[in-house]
Amino acid sequence: MKVQSYLAILVISCLVGGYMIEYVLGEQHKSVQAGIAQHNADILAAKDFGYLRDNVAQLLVSGDLVIGAGESYLAAGALDQSRLLSEQFSKLLNESALFYDHASLRNLFERLASIQSLLRRSMTFNGEDRDQQLGELLVFYDRDSAELVKILEETNTHVKQQLDQNEIALETLKGLAQRTKNLTIIVFSITVFGLWYWANRQISRPLSALSSMAGRAQSGEPFEGVSDAPKEVLVLSNKITSLTNSLSFQAIHDPLTDLYNRREFERQLELTLDRNQGDRAKSPGTACYIDLDHFKVVNDSCGHAAGDELLIEVSKILQKNTRLSDIVARLGGDEFGIVFRRCTLEDAENIAERIRRDVDLIRYQWGEESFSISASIGLCEIPGGENNLATVINAVDAACAAAKQGGRNRVYVLQDEDAGVVEMRNAMLYVNQINNAIIESRFELFYQDIVSIQDNSSTGNRYEVLLRMLDKKDNLVVPCDFLPLVERYQMGARLDLWVVNEVITRLLHDKTALGSLESCSINLSGQSLSDLQFLSRVEKLLDETGFPCEKLCFEITETAAISNLAQATEFIGALRKRQVRFALDDFGSGHSSFGYLRSLPVDYVKIDGSFVKGMLDDELDSATVRSITEVAKAAGKLIIAEYVENEALAQALTDLGVDYGQGYFYGKPIQLPLDSI
């Protein structure tokens, strides 16, 4: 049945019920009005009877006068009065319900006829037998008169009783009418409410059930739908059920492989851990982390479609080698995870080895080229008792990293005594702290002056911006403790962009410091040089802020520049067009090829500090500094020497022709103020 049908039944029922109320109350009203009219008529009839009764009394008096006087003219008047009373009694008898069925009144009417006869006879009395006739008539009249008075009293009593009964009956009728009205309204209201409740139950209850089911579905429960409802609600329920099931599946599955996604994998793993809390002797199973080797080669060479085909093929291998009770998921990119429930570490290792062999046999043909991949797999037993999700995931991730470092295409089983893996796990936790520090801007900027040592012609400030990280307790962490991990885990470009943005923002905020600035040097990682997004973001930042580019100098290490020579040359060329200057940092520590000075369009060469600080005591260091200075000058570059610790070093560098010095002799690093320098 449709919703419209339920509403139609409700409306029709209300209309029919309203009509019935109107009919019942109308009929009841008619009955009451008729009773009131009859009662009023009876009152009038009673008044008429009282009038007649008084006239009958007068008639009896007239009769006494006639009999007493024997005068014909008196008899004639009494006779007329008797006739008039007879007519009125006849009319009252025929029209009033109080009297027409009352025998006394009929008897009274007959007595009036006797009185009329008596009066007619009295008019014929003669002198001969007058006394005798009057005596006989007097006896007759006295007897009928007494009877007539008695009848009048009986009738009068009857009339009063009847009026009282009629009034009681009328009040009863009125009360019945009111009760009928109230009962009819109550019955109608109950009926309408019942119909409304029925229609509401048939419509609103299924809709409320759908709403409640939708709320439970948000917390992960299945959406069941309703089976007893109007047609439109059933259609809606079926559509919501289908949509919810589809969304629920998509929410917990990877769209490419139909395996669980990372979120569901972690949820299922956490449920597994919760079931075994407190039972240290019992392991919930084994965790497995799989990272495909050389997958990026296929993805970059053959395109993402080829990569997707390989991922689907790998997912089939995982499903083939696992049980239905195991949790198999694609964690992202080319990474997969498995939780072998109720499975020993030894059995899990055998399964992982089969997976590794099957993946190693995959061959992907692209044109004339054949590509192959392999899998680095890490395993660790999930310990019983109290454990958290992060501990297990970090452990198995560290095992997978150990498999990659061990040569890839292998299964690595994490043991408790693996000191190297523990160290790697700690490093990964530290990487997470670094990542959070970038997100939360938990870094401090310092600066160290770069001083001209050949003359005092420089009119502005020169300095290099140095970076320190704040740990969870707000202690400063020096760069050598976190920058290697930043480079290793590809966070260099993000951190460099934060530093560039922060320096430019602070300098623009302090106009005095910006006005006195000649050059501000910022170190860039090798990852930033090959990141086209980093270049575009720096250019966008310079355009949006209007920062004077000639005051900005980027320092890049010799190793990073030479390792990414083409990208470095393009990066430097793009920003030099904006008058940004560049310095080749740590020169002499890397490839030490002077020929690169010709191909790299840098403005400064910074001699590696390890040579500078030992040049007074080591002839080789002194010769290295001298040769770098001579070649750099020949290439038209300005030279900066680091680690200048004392006056003797400063004088020796001045004598060699080095242009600028940087070190504790000129000043220690000072924290860069928030609003000014």
Side-chain angles (χ1 to χ4, degrees):
M1 187 179 292
K2 294 185 177 182
V3 173
Q4 293 92 331
S5 301
Y6 288 99
L7 296 178
I9 291 174
L10 180 61
V11 171
I12 293 173
S13 300
C14 290
L15 293 175
V16 172
Y19 173 77
M20 292 177 64
I21 287 179
E22 182 182 10
Y23 177 78
V24 170
L25 296 182
E27 292 299 316
Q28 196 71 37
H29 178 72
K30 290 178 182 179
S31 299
V32 172
Q33 292 300 319
I36 292 173
Q38 183 61 49
H39 182 66
N40 292 335
D42 289 344
I43 292 175
L44 293 176
K47 290 181 178 180
D48 291 341
F49 174 76
Y51 171 77
L52 291 177
R53 182 190 60 190
D54 294 340
N55 281 276
V56 169
Q58 292 179 359
L59 180 61
L60 293 177
V61 173
S62 299
D64 283 338
L65 293 175
V66 171
I67 295 171
E71 297 293 338
S72 59
Y73 69 92
L74 291 175
L79 181 61
D80 290 339
Q81 185 179 15
S82 175
R83 289 173 181 171
L84 180 60
L85 287 174
S86 295
E87 292 175 359
Q88 290 177 346
F89 268 107
S90 177
K91 181 180 179 182
L92 189 64
L93 183 64
N94 293 327
E95 293 181 359
S96 176
L98 285 172
F99 307 106
Y100 75 89
D101 195 28
H102 195 267
S104 296
L105 195 61
R106 294 181 181 278
N107 194 5
L108 180 62
F109 182 73
E110 293 175 357
R111 294 297 179 182
L112 285 174
S114 299
I115 291 174
Q116 290 177 23
S117 177
L118 173 64
L119 292 173
R120 282 194 299 272
R121 289 175 60 192
S122 67
M123 295 174 63
T124 62
F125 292 166
N126 51 49
E128 296 178 358
D129 54 356
R130 184 173 180 273
D131 292 334
Q132 181 182 354
Q133 291 178 353
L134 286 174
E136 293 176 359
L137 289 174
L138 181 60
V139 173
F140 175 79
Y141 180 77
D142 287 341
R143 183 188 61 216
D144 283 355
S145 175
E147 184 69 22
L148 185 59
V149 171
K150 181 181 178 181
I151 292 172
L152 284 174
E153 292 301 325
E154 289 178 355
T155 305
N156 186 54
T157 302
H158 165 74
V159 169
K160 288 181 179 180
Q161 292 176 349
Q162 193 67 32
L163 282 176
D164 291 340
Q165 292 176 0
N166 286 354
E167 187 171 357
I168 293 172
L170 180 60
E171 291 300 323
T172 302
L173 181 61
K174 288 181 178 180
L176 177 61
Q178 185 63 40
R179 289 193 296 274
T180 303
K181 177 183 178 181
N182 295 337
L183 181 61
T184 303
I185 292 175
I186 291 173
V187 171
F188 176 74
S189 300
I190 293 174
T191 304
V192 171
F193 177 78
L195 288 170
W196 172 84
Y197 178 77
W198 168 74
N200 187 60
R201 181 184 177 90
Q202 296 299 317
I203 300 173
S204 297
R205 187 175 181 181
L207 291 176
S208 299
L210 289 179
S211 177
S212 178
M213 291 174 188
R216 293 195 298 271
Q218 289 181 338
S219 60
E221 296 185 19
F223 188 89
E224 299 175 356
V226 296
S227 57
D228 185 14
K231 182 178 180 181
E232 296 91 337
V233 179
L234 287 176
V235 172
L236 177 62
S237 173
N238 294 334
K239 289 183 178 180
I240 294 178
T241 302
S242 176
L243 178 61
T244 304
N245 292 338
S246 176
L247 291 176
S248 298
F249 183 87
Q250 294 176 20
I252 63 175
H253 288 82
D254 173 60
L256 177 65
T257 62
D258 284 344
L259 300 177
Y260 284 134
N261 56 24
R262 187 181 196 96
R263 178 183 176 185
E264 183 64 14
F265 176 80
E266 293 179 353
R267 191 181 75 86
Q268 292 284 352
L269 178 56
E270 193 163 20
L271 289 175
T272 303
L273 294 172
D274 291 342
R275 295 192 192 102
N276 290 270
Q277 284 194 5
D279 191 355
R280 296 184 178 276
K282 195 172 185 180
S283 169
T286 303
C288 174
Y289 195 98
I290 303 171
D291 192 353
L292 300 182
D293 306 321
H294 315 299
F295 176 77
K296 192 174 186 302
V297 176
V298 179
N299 222 21
D300 293 344
S301 302
C302 308
H304 292 288
D308 290 347
E309 289 184 14
L310 279 179
L311 293 174
I312 293 173
E313 187 68 23
V314 171
S315 69
K316 292 178 180 178
I317 291 174
L318 299 182
Q319 290 173 315
K320 181 184 71 174
N321 288 283
T322 54
R323 303 163 299 175
L324 293 176
S325 60
D326 297 331
I327 304 168
V328 186
R330 180 189 174 197
L331 304 181
D334 57 350
E335 300 172 349
F336 297 84
I338 305 174
V339 174
F340 298 103
R341 285 175 168 165
R342 303 299 177 194
C343 181
T344 64
L345 188 60
E346 182 180 357
D347 291 339
E349 185 178 5
N350 293 333
I351 297 173
E353 185 60 34
R354 289 202 304 269
I355 292 174
R356 186 201 63 78
R357 288 198 302 266
D358 289 347
V359 172
D360 192 42
L361 294 175
I362 295 177
R363 295 293 181 271
Y364 186 79
Q365 194 71 29
W366 179 260
E368 297 180 356
E369 297 293 332
S370 178
F371 295 89
S372 63
I373 60 173
S374 59
S376 297
I377 304 176
L379 288 175
C380 76
E381 185 177 25
I382 303 174
E386 299 289 335
N387 285 285
N388 59 57
L389 179 65
T391 301
V392 177
I393 290 180
N394 288 332
V396 72
D397 191 23
C400 182
K404 277 191 172 296
Q405 286 192 343
R408 303 176 187 267
N409 194 21
R410 65 189 62 222
V411 177
Y412 188 94
V413 180
L414 180 66
Q415 304 293 339
D416 292 337
E417 62 272 12
D418 285 347
V421 174
V422 171
E423 181 181 353
M424 183 184 304
R425 188 189 312 166
N426 292 335
M428 293 178 67
L429 291 174
Y430 196 52
V431 167
N432 185 59
Q433 294 182 26
I434 297 172
N435 184 61
N436 290 335
I438 296 175
I439 295 173
E440 300 170 5
S441 298
R442 296 181 58 80
F443 289 94
E444 292 291 343
L445 298 179
F446 287 70
Y447 73 96
Q448 188 176 33
D449 288 328
I450 300 174
V451 180
S452 175
I453 60 177
Q454 291 300 325
D455 54 51
N456 294 321
S457 60
S458 179
T459 59
N461 296 326
R462 288 177 174 271
Y463 49 79
E464 177 185 0
V465 176
L466 305 174
L467 189 64
R468 305 287 187 269
M469 188 178 80
L470 293 173
D471 62 14
K472 293 182 178 180
K473 297 181 180 180
D474 289 336
N475 297 317
L476 290 175
V477 182
V478 294
C480 60
D481 289 340
F482 67 86
L483 284 183
L485 291 175
V486 169
E487 292 281 348
R488 178 178 175 183
Y489 289 96
Q490 304 295 314
M491 294 186 289
R494 289 177 57 202
L495 184 55
D496 288 348
L497 187 63
W498 182 89
V499 174
V500 173
N501 182 74
E502 190 72 12
V503 169
I504 289 177
T505 301
R506 293 191 188 188
L507 285 172
L508 289 174
H509 191 269
D510 191 338
K511 300 299 182 183
T512 303
L514 182 61
S516 63
L517 177 66
E518 184 175 343
S519 178
C520 173
S521 297
I522 300 175
N523 291 281
L524 297 182
S525 68
Q527 296 166 13
S528 298
L529 299 179
S530 57
D531 190 337
L532 295 179
Q533 288 188 353
F534 177 81
L535 175 60
S536 64
R537 288 173 180 173
V538 170
E539 290 179 326
K540 182 180 180 181
L541 180 63
L542 294 173
D543 290 337
E544 290 179 349
T545 60
F547 187 84
C549 298
E550 67 277 3
K551 295 179 181 287
L552 195 61
C553 178
F554 286 134
E555 294 188 7
I556 58 176
T557 64
E558 175 196 1
T559 304
I562 295 174
S563 300
N564 305 280
L565 187 59
Q567 293 94 330
T569 303
E570 182 180 353
F571 183 89
I572 294 171
L575 290 180
R576 277 179 62 86
K577 292 178 181 179
R578 297 172 175 266
Q579 297 184 334
V580 176
R581 287 179 276 189
F582 282 84
L584 193 60
D585 197 12
D586 296 337
F587 192 80
S589 62
H591 296 78
S592 298
S593 175
F594 292 140
Y596 289 118
L597 291 178
R598 186 188 303 274
S599 57
L600 287 171
V602 297
D603 301 279
Y604 305 94
V605 173
K606 295 189 73 171
I607 304 174
D608 188 85
S610 62
F611 299 115
V612 174
K613 65 182 180 181
M615 63 178 291
L616 296 180
D617 303 319
D618 190 302
E619 187 62 31
L620 182 59
D621 288 344
S622 178
T624 301
V625 173
R626 186 183 306 110
S627 62
I628 292 174
T629 302
E630 292 174 354
V631 173
K633 280 188 172 295
K637 315 296 183 185
L638 296 173
I639 302 104
I640 304 173
E642 298 179 307
Y643 289 25
V644 182
E645 307 293 336
N646 51 58
E647 186 178 0
L649 276 176
Q651 187 59 49
L653 292 168
T654 303
D655 295 341
L656 285 176
V658 173
D659 299 288
Y660 299 95
Q662 181 181 357
Y664 280 14
F665 176 70
Y666 302 108
K668 294 182 179 181
I670 301 174
Q671 188 170 3
L672 196 67
L674 182 61
D675 296 330
S676 61
I677 297 175

